[in-house]
Amino acid sequence: MSYYEHSLLRGRWASWQDARAGRRGQANARWGWIKAPGERGPILWMQSFSDPDNQRLGIELSRAIAEKRRDLRMVMTFETEYPQLLQQHTESLERLGYGFGPCDHAQAVERTLDKLKPLRYLALGQMPRKGLSAALKQRQISSVLMAADPKNPVPTLLEAVYPRDARQAEQWQGKVSAAVLQEPVDFATLFTIAQVDPNFRSMISGTDEGLLWWVEGLTGKQWQDWRQAWAASPLSRQGLLFLGGAERPEDLPLLSKWPRQPLPAGSVLAVDEDRWYPALAAAAQAVHLLSAASFLQWQVYAGSRPVSVHSGVVLNAARQLEAGAVQVLNNPSQVLQHWQDLYADVMQARQRGDATRRVFWQERRLAGERLPEFLQRVFDW
């Protein structure tokens, strides 16, 4: 169950359902029965809520913090678990404990704070709910917010707010003091794989010149629309199409099951694991995003390939995007025609790819300059 608000009855019902389904750890954590890792040292409590990108951000920040301050224990709680992500990225992180967090009922919040006695509270991607915010104020525990949109009420004991981009920074203007509001920065760029050998292209197509095209963020009927448009496109006669997203059709072959042999032109594969993102970003001729979280966008930008997006995608960038860096297109026929134009104009394709890569490196350099300041803040606690 995913209920984490403040209602006693709904919280109890969710925990009962969890216990019945064998999810006792989640049921207990919802009411504050949380155990800190290790035995000694102050604690930083991080909340990553339900977004996998924010869990990844919390993990990587923990890794950097562990190098700067070796006495600090870190606890990351969440409301949705991503086991594969946690298993892949938490290896060797000894002072990080993670698990489900409490709901916002006063009893659960107070019990959690009694058990953790955190030195600081760090919210990733979302502001703390009302109950927790009030309890942090009452206990005089300062908060740091990272990549979170402002909502009322704003926590009163804010030490720092780190907006993810210029849009978010503008939303915070006037809601907190200038000393609290930091310049926008997205630390996710520091954990993006920036250098990838594009040999995936020759392995899956059989030639170095193989044409790979990638679409991410599909749902529902969009899968069928794309498969039909691809079958009717001239590109299908000499290329491969990779589709990723939710509600994946059962008949579509999975990239994770690829037998490591070249595939015939026209093949369509489902991208079912994010570990393929760096290889695809480096090898695809172009990428189209129907929806995309922060880490995926940065990975695509780093691949130095032309990028197009649906008009509903909120683009990453702490600063204004370079004109023409990303094309906005809304249906398969537009995207496929755009891809054909890029294939016919190698120079234009290269220029568009270079533009997205410049966006990535601009933001990565900025994040690299800002991370020591954040780590010094942690050290000074």
Side-chain angles (χ1 to χ4, degrees):
M1 296 291 288
S2 60
Y3 184 77
Y4 283 92
E5 298 292 344
H6 61 274
S7 170
L8 175 65
L9 292 179
R10 292 191 64 183
R12 290 296 186 194
W13 172 256
S15 290
W16 182 71
Q17 292 283 75
D18 282 335
R20 284 189 63 195
R23 300 186 294 266
R24 291 193 174 274
Q26 184 173 2
N28 291 335
R30 185 178 282 106
W31 291 100
W33 298 107
I34 293 172
K35 184 178 180 181
E39 298 180 356
R40 302 176 63 180
I43 288 177
L44 168 63
W45 177 18
M46 299 181 289
Q47 262 194 316
S48 60
F49 302 96
S50 295
D51 191 310
D53 275 10
N54 292 326
Q55 285 186 29
R56 176 72 190 281
L57 178 60
I59 292 168
E60 299 300 342
L61 287 177
S62 296
R63 198 181 308 280
I65 290 170
E67 293 295 321
K68 183 70 174 181
R69 184 162 177 178
R70 299 186 177 277
D71 68 320
L72 191 66
R73 293 181 291 166
M74 290 159 285
V75 174
M76 182 176 70
T77 62
F78 42 74
E79 297 168 7
T80 302
E81 185 176 30
Y82 300 91
Q84 185 178 11
L85 180 152
L86 293 165
Q87 182 179 3
Q88 179 180 354
H89 296 290
T90 59
E91 189 175 348
S92 77
L93 263 175
E94 297 179 357
R95 292 199 304 282
L96 172 65
Y98 57 83
F100 288 100
C103 68
D104 203 44
H105 187 272
Q107 184 182 39
V109 169
E110 295 295 337
R111 182 178 289 128
T112 300
L113 293 175
D114 284 342
K115 287 185 169 294
L116 297 182
K117 296 180 174 60
L119 179 66
R120 288 292 191 283
Y121 167 81
L122 173 60
L124 301 169
Q126 181 178 316
M127 283 175 48
R129 293 185 173 90
K130 293 180 181 180
L132 175 57
S133 181
L136 291 170
K137 176 185 176 182
Q138 183 179 10
R139 296 186 181 225
Q140 295 294 295
I141 299 172
S142 296
S143 301
V144 175
L145 308 184
M146 191 170 290
D149 289 338
K151 293 181 181 179
N152 291 324
V154 174
T156 54
L157 286 177
L158 276 179
E159 178 178 325
V161 174
Y162 289 86
R164 171 172 281 162
D165 51 35
R167 174 196 59 84
Q168 200 172 74
E170 185 175 346
Q171 291 178 345
W172 277 103
Q173 289 287 344
K175 292 182 171 62
V176 293
S177 69
V180 167
L181 183 58
Q182 309 298 305
E183 289 294 317
V185 61
D186 192 343
F187 291 120
T189 54
L190 297 176
F191 319 126
T192 302
I193 300 175
Q195 303 291 340
V196 180
D197 190 337
N199 58 5
F200 173 73
R201 181 187 304 140
S202 59
M203 292 173 61
I204 200 165
S205 69
T207 68
D208 289 335
E209 294 76 29
L211 305 180
L212 314 183
W213 311 95
W214 180 23
V215 182
E216 191 66 35
L218 283 76
T219 58
K221 187 176 178 295
Q222 291 172 335
W223 291 88
Q224 185 61 24
D225 292 343
W226 268 95
R227 294 170 75 175
Q228 291 177 348
W230 171 253
S233 171
L235 293 174
S236 66
R237 294 196 286 270
Q238 52 185 327
L240 308 176
L241 179 65
F242 299 85
L243 302 175
E247 305 172 63
R248 183 176 62 244
E250 294 184 0
D251 66 321
L252 200 58
L254 304 179
L255 182 53
S256 63
K257 304 297 184 183
W258 169 49
R260 301 301 193 273
Q261 295 177 350
L263 298 177
S267 297
V268 181
L269 277 79
V271 183
D272 56 327
E273 296 177 353
D274 60 8
R275 65 187 177 93
W276 294 101
Y277 290 173
L280 282 168
Q285 299 297 119
V287 183
H288 181 68
L289 303 175
L290 289 159
S291 65
S294 178
F295 269 98
L296 173 57
Q297 284 194 52
W298 291 130
Q299 189 64 70
V300 169
Y301 291 177
S304 191
R305 302 294 167 181
V307 178
S308 58
V309 300
H310 187 273
S311 58
V313 173
V314 178
L315 295 173
N316 287 2
R319 300 292 180 268
Q320 186 69 31
L321 278 173
E322 180 178 335
V326 176
Q327 191 87 2
V328 178
L329 303 167
N330 284 332
N331 61 61
S333 61
Q334 287 180 328
V335 177
L336 289 166
Q337 183 58 57
H338 174 60
W339 286 353
Q340 284 185 259
D341 295 342
L342 291 173
Y343 179 55
D345 191 339
V346 176
M347 184 59 67
Q348 181 193 24
R350 182 174 301 161
Q351 290 173 347
R352 289 190 177 277
D354 289 345
T356 55
R357 189 166 180 84
R358 281 195 296 272
V359 171
F360 167 75
W361 280 106
Q362 169 185 307
E363 303 300 336
R364 184 168 188 152
R365 282 192 293 270
L366 175 63
E369 294 168 359
R370 300 288 303 286
L371 183 63
E373 178 271 325
F374 171 74
L375 294 177
Q376 185 61 46
R377 181 187 298 278
V378 175
F379 184 81
D380 293 339
W381 290 342

